Amino acid sequence: MAETTTIRISRDTHARVTRLAAERHETIDETVSQAIRALRQDAMARDLAGELTDDEVSWLDADAG
């Protein structure tokens, strides 16, 4: 494992992430890393689902030739 550090979380959150890691047969570190990745993907999906700006529409409609 890489270098580690400590983060403060509530006992309830610790119990929940510990239980989830056990259910997934992975370490707490792996579970937290996957959760962070999922949150980042969700943020990207929301950004991509948003309305295009006028500049983006113009760029997409531009003649490539």
Side-chain angles (χ1 to χ4, degrees):
M1 182 187 286
E3 288 187 47
T4 63
T5 190
T6 302
I7 60 171
R8 290 181 135 342
I9 58 174
S10 69
R11 290 187 189 277
D12 179 59
T13 298
H14 182 268
R16 289 169 45 205
V17 75
T18 300
R19 188 170 41 252
L20 182 59
E23 290 170 2
R24 296 169 55 96
H25 306 287
E26 58 190 22
T27 66
I28 291 173
D29 183 67
E30 291 167 331
T31 302
V32 170
S33 292
Q34 290 297 318
I36 291 167
R37 185 170 193 253
L39 287 168
R40 291 184 69 216
Q41 288 175 332
D42 184 58
M44 284 187 268
R46 280 193 317 272
D47 185 46
L48 290 171
E51 292 292 322
L52 295 175
T53 65
D54 290 340
D55 286 342
E56 291 169 328
V57 170
S58 295
W59 184 83
L60 289 170
D61 289 340
D63 183 11

